[in-house]
Amino acid sequence: MCRFVIYKGTSPVQLSHLLTRPCHSIINQAFDSRLRLDHRRPINGDGFGVGWYDSVHDEELGSQPCIFTAVTPAWNNVNLIRLAEKIKSPLVFGHVRATTTGSLSLDNCHPFAYGKLMFMHNGAIADFHLIKRRLQADLSDDVFNVVQGNTDSECAFALLLSKLPDPKAKSFTTRTLQQAMLDTIATLNLYAEEAGITEPSLMNFCVTDGESVVATRYISSRHDEAASLWFSSGTTFSEYAQGGHYRMAKADKRENIIMIASEPLTFEKADWMEIRTNNMVVITPKMNLLQIPIVDKFYVSPSDPAALNRDTDFAAAKGLLSPHKALAPIQPRKNAPQLSI
């Protein structure tokens, strides 16, 4: 199953500090995913992508993100290494892919973009072939033609675009993106119900307009655990020891950096916190981080004992982190400290 990472900061970050230098960077997770349980296909080698926004707005270049994708394994792409050393950005999306739906092609590599917006997905829409025609029929012609590949993920992005008042807008409020995300999830659940689909869908979605970020950790089940999702925040993110050992420093109460990731990028205690299942995480333009419950028929309140007893077997079968059971058995690689969260 895929892995993604999101960076938003008050200052631009050199892409290499996210993608290539950390010993457990998103690129290294493509072949060394410590928290992945599926040993049948333990490699995220079906392409990768990175998207970023300019540090300084240039009228000639526009406000849309730049996207670099490739179908080669991320760890073996020299162009990625070269670019990561020379590009800085205050908002970065990175993704390594393990196919679930769709062929191995550039069109199917995340992140997807439209206008100012970028979108990524970790998970799978259950029995997508049963609802694909219905989903496409509900799209406007303009949005329908946005889809270039054949993945469930890009179709979900098109559905999200259709929920926006104007997907071509030059700016979006945080609340507008939140509502579009909620409407997308609700519509996918409606399609599944009408088609008689009983297997849960894993919908770890994330979207940004370059100012706000909205991400979800979600599964259409009251009993199963969702795919893993974590966040980290602080004032600086830097290497403290040779070999790519990074940590998040918290010099004061300011949030200069916020990261969201399928799997932690560091092995430092207390660097990362787990996002609750069936919750939305929002990063506002002013660097506030909000965790908001997605209250629908699959939501279980934290005060309900069932919230602590979600079944991790489904996540494990899909090659995803079982957050409450998978951490203890993980053994560090040689010369790497143990992950402790």
Side-chain angles (χ1 to χ4, degrees), residues 3 35 122 204 217 226-230 261-263 320-323:
R3 289 289 184 266
L35 304 186
N122 176 27
N204 281 20
R217 183 183 182 205
S228 59
L229 198 64
W230 309 79
S262 302
E263 187 165 324
L320 302 169
L321 167 67
S322 297

Side-chain angles (χ1 to χ4, degrees), residues 109-263:
C109 290
H110 311 222
F112 305 106
Y114 181 78
K116 287 193 65 177
L117 299 169
M118 279 198 300
F119 179 91
M120 297 187 295
H121 175 207
N122 176 27
I125 308 302
D127 290 321
F128 180 65
H129 64 285
L130 297 179
I131 66 170
K132 183 177 181 180
R133 181 182 289 273
R134 169 68 193 281
L135 186 157
Q136 291 175 330
D138 285 349
L139 303 177
S140 67
D141 288 345
D142 286 344
V143 173
F144 177 84
N145 289 322
V146 169
V147 180
Q148 300 297 309
N150 57 356
T151 64
D152 54 348
S153 302
E154 192 178 14
C155 286
F157 179 40
L159 184 61
L160 184 144
L161 293 176
S162 75
K163 302 299 183 182
L164 293 167
D166 179 10
K168 297 180 181 179
K170 294 183 178 180
S171 64
F172 300 87
T173 66
T174 304
R175 186 171 294 277
T176 297
L177 294 178
Q178 286 179 246
Q179 191 60 52
M181 184 69 81
L182 292 172
D183 291 344
T184 298
I185 291 173
T187 301
L188 288 169
N189 286 338
L190 175 62
Y191 292 159
E193 183 177 349
E194 291 179 347
I197 298 170
T198 57
E199 180 177 306
S201 288
L202 293 154
M203 303 185 218
N204 281 20
F205 294 144
C206 50
V207 67
T208 183
D209 64 345
E211 300 293 334
S212 304
V213 176
V214 176
T216 59
R217 183 183 182 205
Y218 185 89
I219 184 170
S220 55
S221 170
R222 288 182 58 87
H223 310 290
D224 296 297
E225 193 66 86
S228 59
L229 198 64
W230 309 79
F231 78 89
S232 181
S233 62
T235 50
T236 59
F237 180 68
S238 58
E239 187 177 24
Y240 69 93
Q242 290 185 349
H245 298 293
Y246 279 66
R247 65 184 169 203
M248 182 73 76
K250 304 177 189 293
D252 50 47
K253 294 182 179 180
R254 293 176 300 169
E255 303 292 3
N256 293 338
I257 296 168
I258 300 175
M259 291 193 289
I260 300 172
S262 302
E263 187 165 324

Side-chain angles (χ1 to χ4, degrees), residues 70-106:
V71 295
T72 57
W75 63 85
N76 197 31
N77 190 291
V78 67
N79 286 327
L80 175 64
I81 297 172
R82 291 166 176 163
L83 289 171
E85 291 293 331
K86 292 297 183 179
I87 294 173
K88 287 186 174 183
S89 173
L91 205 164
V92 182
F93 272 22
H95 189 280
V96 291
R97 184 170 181 245
T99 57
T100 53
T101 301
S103 59
L104 182 63
S105 71
L106 286 175

